Amino acid sequence: MSPRRKRPGLKTNRWPVIAWAVMVLALTTGSAVAAPAKNMNVFEPVSPPAYSINGLFILTLAICGGILLLVGGAMLWFSIRYRRRAGDTNDEPPQLYGSHRIEIAWTLGPLLIVFVLFLVVFRVVAGIQGKTPPKHGDPIYVTVIAHQWWWEFKYPKLGITTANELHVPVSPHGKKYPVFLRLESADVIHDFWVPRLSGKQDVVPGHPNHLWFAPEKAGTYYGQCAEFCGAQHANMSIRVVAQSKKNFDKWVADHQKPAAAPATLTGKAKVGYAQFVKNSCISCHEVNGATPALGGGPMKLYFGPDLTHLMTRKTIGSGMIANTPKNLAAWITNPQTIKPGCHMPDMNLSKKQVSDIVAYLETLK
Ligand code: CUA
């Protein structure tokens, strides 16, 4: 080894390196702490499409990591091996002009890598976003309609409409009950994404897209609209409740029942129902069985969530707040204080009107 050459006036500054290290550490620990809390960790897949995406991610990471090691390692090796030493007289290294062999190698190598990545990505995407349901099992069909800013879920074969909380059966080994989604939008472009179950898929007006998943474990999986769609884009969350087939069948049977007939209501709920009908709540919301609440018209296009079984849902405002009588009252009093910009207006109702309407809503089980 040649003796180290002293360079006067050149001091090593360690601060940028320390700043980088602190930033990287903060980012990695921050995301590690934030991710699992909401059950949205892409690295914990529980459904076949999410497994393939995870596999694809690891493959891409391995290829890119290999390239990083190769290039970084070569850089490091050359800068140490061929560094300037004491006694070097020549200021310039020998100048070489082109080598066909090297040119061909560094053109074909990357081309091959890109080609392999293209093939595997294409295979995974085609397997997840196909226009027909997976060939195995007994598919559960769901039409997802994205709205500013909530999700409508319709089960066309089961005759159920609900919102924001999607119930599906658990699929043993991801085979038995694949959930096949048809994604539609009522307004702008949204994006349906439940990281532990499947990929991201754009929800485009006038162009239905498809996606499937099959959770292998029971649980509530969180998702989020993943395409900026306006003021309340961040408050457009999804909950997928995966339950045993038995519990799912029970949920289906309960949801196929209409709401309590208006004639059977008594007391505060009866008064609340009258307010509900009178104050144009029915122009946007459907209550199946409560006759005038069919605001969607012949097209059945609703501006607000179906309320037939509202009280079975855990949240309101598309996952913003817990579904409690107190929160319902606050929401009905003025939704704009909770979700500014949402399409439900302040109806200027009195305290009594609000509490009567809440009493009626509480009968929607
Ligand atoms: Cu819907 Cu972002």
Side-chain angles (χ1 to χ4, degrees):
M1 272 293 201
S2 54
R4 218 177 155 170
R5 228 162 84 134
K6 287 247 182 227
R7 279 175 207 165
L10 194 80
K11 276 190 205 150
T12 15
N13 190 353
R14 286 198 179 84
W15 285 110
V17 180
I18 293 170
W20 266 104
V22 168
M23 208 166 81
V24 169
L25 198 72
L27 279 174
T28 46
T29 48
S31 53
V33 170
K38 276 272 185 185
N39 202 6
M40 289 174 79
N41 194 343
V42 271
F43 302 115
E44 287 174 344
V46 286
S47 145
Y51 292 134
S52 357
I53 292 167
N54 195 41
L56 193 62
F57 175 78
I58 290 175
L59 177 76
T60 314
L61 190 73
I63 292 177
C64 295
I67 295 172
L68 177 78
L69 284 181
L70 209 74
V71 175
M75 262 171 69
L76 204 69
W77 165 252
F78 283 111
S79 33
I80 293 169
R81 177 74 181 78
Y82 299 104
R83 73 188 185 279
R84 186 177 195 149
R85 287 161 218 241
D88 282 353
T89 47
N90 199 353
D91 275 344
E92 267 197 14
Q95 302 295 300
L96 298 171
Y97 295 97
S99 153
H100 285 303
R101 256 187 247 167
I102 294 177
E103 293 274 357
I104 290 169
W106 69 40
T107 305
L108 282 187
L111 210 66
L112 198 73
I113 292 168
V114 170
F115 186 65
V116 166
L117 284 178
F118 172 78
L119 285 186
V120 286
V121 169
F122 187 81
R123 196 169 149 249
V124 168
V125 170
I128 295 173
Q129 303 181 341
K131 282 191 166 50
T132 49
K135 299 213 167 43
H136 49 78
D138 190 5
I140 309 285
Y141 292 85
V142 181
T143 303
V144 176
I145 304 164
H147 296 256
Q148 279 175 321
W149 290 278
W150 58 283
W151 300 93
E152 184 173 0
F153 299 126
K154 283 175 184 283
Y155 299 68
K157 308 232 162 176
L158 302 172
I160 295 172
T161 303
T162 185
N164 306 319
E165 297 173 16
L166 178 65
H167 284 247
V168 299
V170 164
S171 255
H173 311 291
K175 289 265 178 218
K176 222 160 173 197
Y177 309 110
V179 180
F180 182 63
L181 306 180
R182 177 188 158 95
L183 302 162
E184 297 175 10
S185 169
D187 36 52
V188 300
I189 299 177
H190 302 265
D191 192 302
F192 186 92
W193 189 35
V194 184
R196 292 191 69 190
L197 300 181
S198 198
K200 268 184 200 168
Q201 177 63 288
D202 272 353
V203 186
V204 184
H207 177 89
N209 278 333
H210 298 86
L211 191 70
W212 75 277
F213 58 78
E216 294 179 359
K217 271 189 240 157
T220 301
Y221 303 102
Y222 290 76
Q224 174 63 44
C225 178
E227 181 77 44
F228 181 71
C229 54
Q232 291 295 337
H233 154 70
N235 288 315
M236 201 174 154
S237 59
I238 306 158
R239 280 165 171 73
V240 176
V241 182
Q243 50 200 160
S244 69
K245 183 64 168 53
K246 207 176 128 217
N247 289 347
F248 174 73
D249 287 343
K250 188 177 176 301
W251 181 88
V252 168
D254 287 346
H255 277 68
Q256 284 171 333
K257 289 182 196 137
T264 64
L265 297 168
T266 54
K268 242 171 114 66
K270 191 178 172 186
V271 181
Y273 173 73
Q275 292 292 345
F276 183 81
V277 172
K278 208 171 78 186
N279 283 288
S280 70
C281 309
I282 54 169
S283 310
C284 297
H285 294 286
E286 182 179 30
V287 177
N288 196 1
T291 17
L294 291 165
M299 295 291 286
K300 287 226 154 210
L301 187 68
Y302 293 98
F303 298 109
D306 183 297
L307 300 178
T308 313
H309 297 280
L310 171 69
M311 297 318 287
T312 63
R313 303 205 281 263
K314 293 219 157 52
T315 61
I316 52 174
S318 199
M320 278 190 86
I321 48 175
N323 185 5
T324 60
K326 201 174 152 235
N327 282 347
L328 271 174
W331 179 269
I332 297 163
T333 303
N334 186 4
Q336 300 299 324
T337 56
I338 298 167
K339 198 168 184 173
C342 79
H343 295 330
M344 177 164 162
D346 173 2
M347 301 297 288
N348 292 308
L349 300 171
S350 72
K351 264 204 161 121
K352 179 166 185 314
Q353 283 173 312
V354 169
S355 96
D356 289 341
I357 290 174
V358 171
Y360 167 59
L361 294 181
E362 282 183 273
T363 69
L364 303 175
K365 288 178 180 146

